[in-house]
Amino acid sequence: MTTDGLALATRGLVKRYGTRPALAGLDLSVPSGVVYGFLGPNGAGKTTTMRLLTGLIHPDAGSIEVLGRPFGRTDRHRLFEVGALIESPSFYPYLSGRENLRALAATGARVAATRIEELLELVGLRERAKDKVQTYSLGMKQRLGIAAALLSDPRLLLLDEPANGLDPAGIVAMRETLRHLASAGKTVFVSSHVLGEVQQLADVIGIIASGRLVREGPIEHLLEGEGEVRVRVPADDLDAARAALAALVSDGDVAPSGADDGWLTVRIETNRAAEVNRALVQAGIYASGLEAGSDLESLFLELTRGDGSGGHEGTFFGVAGGSR
Amino acid sequence: MRIFVVTLRKLVRRPASFVTLGILIGLLALILIAVAATASQPDAGPGQRQGLLLVTFPGAYTVILSFILGLGGLFAVIYGAAVAGSEWSWGTLKSAVARGESRSRYQLASFAAIALMIGVGMVIAFGAGIAVAIVGANIAVVSTAGLSDSETLGTLPELLGRGWLAIVEEGALGFAIATLARSQLAGIGAGIAFFFGEQFASIFLPDVIKYLPFNAANAVVATPGEGGFSGGGGDGGAVIASLEPNEALLVVVAWLVGALIVSTLFTERAEISG
C-alpha cells in the first residue's frame, strides 16, 4: 500500500501488554495538511497509538511512517518535525510556564529564541508566564501543553485530548488555532472523546475499536453515507407516514422514535431530505419538523458497538478498561 | 550541553536543592556546636573532651569532610533519586523523548548537572562546617592556630576532589535506583533502604562490605586505619575493615560508572508511559 501524500501512516501495527493486545494490526492513513480526528472508546488503543507514534513505546509488529519516512527505534530525529501532547501535560511544578518551555526547548530540535514568547501569546498565557506551573489551573496547563507541542513549529502535531480542561472560549481558540495550522499545510492528529468537538474540527476521522481501525475517511463523506432524516408528523398519521415513506426506503429503514412523540427516523442519505418531505406531502401529511444529517456520535456508537475494550456498552463505570 | 545548562538552572530553582543542603549544614552545625559546648564543660569526662577533636584544626578539616561524606552521602542518594524519579513521576522525561531527544544523552547530561550541584553543595557545606567549627572552637576555648596549617591546606583540594567523587557516586546510586523504580517516592525510599541496608550488611558480609558503595565512598578520604567520622552513615559502630583510599577511589569510580550505565541502559530500553 502506498503512503505517498500521507503525513502519518501505520501498517499492521501490533502492540501487546503481556498477553493482552492493545493494538491488533492498526492501519492508519493520515493525509498531509488536514485535521485528523482519532476516535475510539476507552481502552480501544488511542493512547497506545499516540505513544507508539512518539517513540515512547515500541511496536511488537508493524511499521510506522512519519512525514513520509520510516520511523523506528533509531529514527528519533523524525520527531524533530513533530509536536506532541500525550495524555496530561507534563511540567516541572516549581518552574514558571516560561521556564518550563525553555527547559523543553533545550531538548530535541532547536527552537528560535523568540518562539517561546510567541507561543505564550498564542495560548494566552503571557500574563501568567512568570507564575509557577503548580499555581496553574488544569486549563492553563493544557494551554501550556499545546504551546509546548508547538515549540519546534512542527509539520505534524499529535494531540491527545487537547480540549481537556479548556473553557468554552479556550476550546474555540484552540479549534481556530488548529484549523489555522492545517490551512498552513501542517497536519494535526487529534485524539479525543469529545465527538462534537471532533465533528467541528476534523477534516478526516479514523475510528478505532479493539485495537483495529473500523472506519477512516473524510468526515463529510462518512456522515453522508451513514445519514438519516427525522420527520415529525401528527401522531394519528404515523402509520400513513410510514407507508408513504416505504416508497423511498425499505420498511425496516423507517422507525418511530421510542418517545412516542411523533418523530420518525428514516435511514436515507441526508441529501434526499427533500424527497422525504415530498413523499409525505404527496400522501397529504405535513411534517411539523424535519432534521437531516447524522451526527458523529451515532456513527461512532454504531461502529464501536460490541467493542469489548471498555467502550459505551455496559454500565458507564462497570466495564474494565480506561486509558492505556 | 543545552540539556546540562538547562538542568543546572532547574536544579538551582528546585526547592529540594536548598532543603537538602540546608538540612545537611543545619545538622553539621548542631553537632559541632553541641559537641564543643559539651566538651568545654568543667565536669566533662575524657570521652567528651575527645570530642574537641571535631573543632580542633587542622584535624577538623578531615573530620568535617568525613561527616559530609557520611551524612551527605545519604542526602546525595535522596537528591539523586528525587531528581531522576521526578522525571518519570512528572512526565518530563516523556516530553523530552517525544520531542526526539536522545534518552541516553538526556540522562547523562541531567546527571552531570546533578554532579556539579553536588560539588557546589559540598563546598558550601564544607565552608559552613569550617565556620561553625571555628565558632565551636571559640566556645570550647580551643586554639584555632591550626587553621592555617599549610600541609593540611595543601591536601585539601585533593581531599575535596575525592570527596566530591564519593558523594557523586552515592548520588548516582540514588539516580539509578529511582530510574529503575520510575518514581520519585519509590526511588527515595529504596535509596534510603539501600543506604541503611548496606550498614546492616556488615553483620552478615564483613569481608564484602568494604567494597559496597557507601563504605567505599567513606574510605576515599579516610586515613588508613582511621575510621573517620561518618556522621551516622558510616560503619554503625561495627569494626570493619576499610579499603585503602586509592583502592576505594577505584571502587567508587566502578560503582559510579556502573550506576550510570544501568540508568542509561534502562532508560534507553524502557517503555515510557503515564
Side-chain angles (χ1 to χ4, degrees), chain A residues 121-151:
Chain A
E121 186 73 44
L122 178 74
V123 298
L125 282 177
R126 191 149 201 173
E127 299 296 313
R128 297 287 308 272
K130 285 183 181 172
D131 296 343
K132 289 181 179 176
V133 163
Q134 64 195 12
T135 67
Y136 283 15
S137 67
L138 177 62
M140 290 169 69
K141 285 178 187 166
Q142 194 71 12
R143 280 190 274 161
L144 190 62
I146 292 170
L150 291 168
L151 262 180

Side-chain angles (χ1 to χ4, degrees), chain B:
Chain B
M1 194 62 185
R2 285 187 298 157
I3 298 170
F4 172 74
V5 172
V6 161
T7 306
L8 212 50
R9 282 190 194 142
K10 287 186 292 194
L11 294 178
V12 167
R13 300 290 311 276
R14 190 171 178 139
S17 301
F18 300 103
V19 171
T20 308
L21 183 61
I23 293 175
L24 178 62
I25 291 175
L27 286 172
L28 182 60
L30 198 66
I31 289 170
L32 290 177
I33 296 291
V35 167
T38 308
S40 63
Q41 295 298 313
D43 56 346
Q48 287 167 314
R49 294 202 69 79
Q50 205 174 13
L52 287 175
L53 290 173
L54 295 177
V55 293
T56 305
F57 290 92
Y61 285 121
T62 316
V63 173
I64 290 167
L65 190 56
S66 294
F67 178 93
I68 291 171
L69 283 189
L71 194 58
L74 174 60
F75 287 180
V77 171
I78 294 171
Y79 188 62
V83 176
S86 63
E87 290 288 337
W88 295 85
S89 299
W90 292 339
T92 41
L93 173 70
K94 176 185 74 178
S95 298
V97 171
R99 278 179 55 76
E101 185 53 59
S102 156
R103 298 176 183 214
S104 304
R105 187 168 60 190
Y106 189 81
Q107 286 291 74
L108 291 175
S110 296
F111 184 76
I114 292 172
L116 184 57
M117 284 296 286
I118 285 175
V120 171
M122 190 188 78
V123 169
I124 292 172
F126 187 64
I130 290 168
V132 173
I134 293 170
V135 172
N138 284 320
I139 291 171
V141 199
V142 172
S143 168
T144 54
L147 257 174
S148 55
D149 180 72
S150 57
E151 192 183 340
T152 308
L153 288 176
T155 62
L156 271 187
E158 188 193 341
L159 282 179
L160 284 171
R162 284 167 170 266
W164 172 72
L165 203 61
I167 299 189
V168 164
E169 173 237 27
E170 292 166 314
L173 286 172
F175 192 84
I177 290 168
T179 300
L180 293 173
R182 299 181 182 208
S183 153
Q184 191 173 6
L185 282 178
I188 291 171
I192 293 171
F194 189 28
F195 181 85
F196 288 107
E198 183 178 312
Q199 315 311 321
F200 285 117
S202 62
I203 301 167
F204 311 105
L205 304 163
D207 298 328
V208 178
I209 193 80
K210 61 186 176 185
Y211 296 106
L212 295 185
F214 298 108
N215 277 276
N218 282 333
V220 158
V221 295
T223 308
E226 183 187 312
F229 183 72
S230 64
D235 52 26
V239 179
I240 51 169
S242 291
L243 292 171
E244 285 280 318
N246 287 339
E247 200 181 358
L249 198 63
L250 289 176
V251 174
V252 160
V253 170
W255 277 105
L256 171 62
V257 172
L260 291 180
I261 288 174
V262 167
S263 307
T264 307
L265 282 181
F266 181 82
T267 308
E268 200 63 55
R269 301 182 62 84
E271 301 230 310
I272 301 174
S273 57

Side-chain angles (χ1 to χ4, degrees), chain A:
Chain A
M1 187 181 285
T2 177
T3 56
D4 289 348
L6 298 181
L8 184 63
T10 69
R11 294 293 173 261
L13 209 54
V14 173
K15 181 66 185 173
R16 294 182 199 87
Y17 294 110
T19 56
R20 183 172 59 89
L23 292 180
L26 183 68
D27 297 317
L28 285 178
S29 299
V30 181
S32 296
V34 301
V35 177
Y36 185 103
F38 188 47
L39 306 171
N42 289 335
K46 297 191 301 297
T47 300
T48 296
T49 305
M50 295 294 247
R51 288 178 186 158
L52 285 165
L53 296 178
T54 46
L56 297 174
I57 60 176
H58 304 289
D60 295 317
S63 63
I64 300 171
E65 277 192 16
V66 172
L67 298 167
R69 292 180 182 175
F71 175 63
R73 272 181 183 267
T74 57
D75 303 311
R76 63 179 179 82
H77 288 96
R78 240 0 42 82
L79 296 173
F80 283 14
E81 294 181 286
V82 177
L85 171 61
I86 312 290
E87 297 159 282
S88 54
S90 307
F91 298 108
Y92 299 97
Y94 60 91
L95 294 182
S96 71
R98 181 180 283 117
E99 288 166 333
N100 265 291
L101 290 183
R102 282 183 187 149
L104 200 57
T107 63
R110 288 204 173 268
V111 175
T114 56
R115 183 69 177 160
I116 289 172
E117 297 307 317
E118 285 171 18
L119 290 171
L120 287 169
E121 186 73 44
L122 178 74
V123 298
L125 282 177
R126 191 149 201 173
E127 299 296 313
R128 297 287 308 272
K130 285 183 181 172
D131 296 343
K132 289 181 179 176
V133 163
Q134 64 195 12
T135 67
Y136 283 15
S137 67
L138 177 62
M140 290 169 69
K141 285 178 187 166
Q142 194 71 12
R143 280 190 274 161
L144 190 62
I146 292 170
L150 291 168
L151 262 180
S152 308
D153 195 17
R155 288 170 60 198
L156 171 62
L157 197 56
L158 307 173
L159 301 174
D160 198 359
E161 303 286 353
N164 260 1
L166 295 182
D167 56 25
I171 291 174
V172 171
M174 180 204 68
R175 190 190 308 147
E176 287 172 356
T177 301
L178 298 184
R179 291 293 339 160
H180 173 73
L181 289 171
S183 67
K186 298 180 189 304
T187 307
V188 183
F189 183 87
V190 179
S191 158
S192 180
H193 285 105
V194 187
L195 301 177
E197 181 56 38
V198 171
Q199 189 162 3
Q200 290 186 63
L201 178 64
D203 304 300
V204 179
I205 59 167
I207 299 178
I208 181 177
S210 300
R212 290 179 190 276
L213 193 73
V214 291
R215 190 66 60 91
E216 185 178 62
I219 192 164
E220 286 177 10
H221 177 73
L222 292 181
L223 294 183
E224 211 170 69
E226 297 292 330
E228 63 186 30
V229 174
R230 297 178 73 229
V231 288
R232 188 172 197 179
V233 297
D236 294 346
D237 292 337
L238 270 177
D239 289 340
R242 289 184 70 165
L245 294 172
L248 291 175
V249 293
S250 64
D251 196 38
D253 285 336
V254 182
S257 75
D260 198 22
D261 53 3
W263 282 99
L264 282 174
T265 300
V266 187
R267 291 182 59 82
I268 190 171
E269 292 87 344
T270 53
N271 57 7
R272 296 178 64 193
E275 290 180 45
V276 172
N277 197 25
R278 187 171 58 201
L280 291 172
V281 169
Q282 284 173 348
I285 301 166
Y286 297 94
S288 59
L290 188 146
E291 295 174 353
S294 170
D295 59 14
L296 192 52
E297 187 175 81
S298 306
L299 176 65
F300 177 84
L301 292 175
E302 182 186 325
L303 290 173
T304 59
R305 190 168 293 132
D307 176 15
S309 56
H312 57 280
E313 288 201 333
T315 59
F316 189 75
F317 294 108
V319 182
S323 181
R324 283 181 181 125

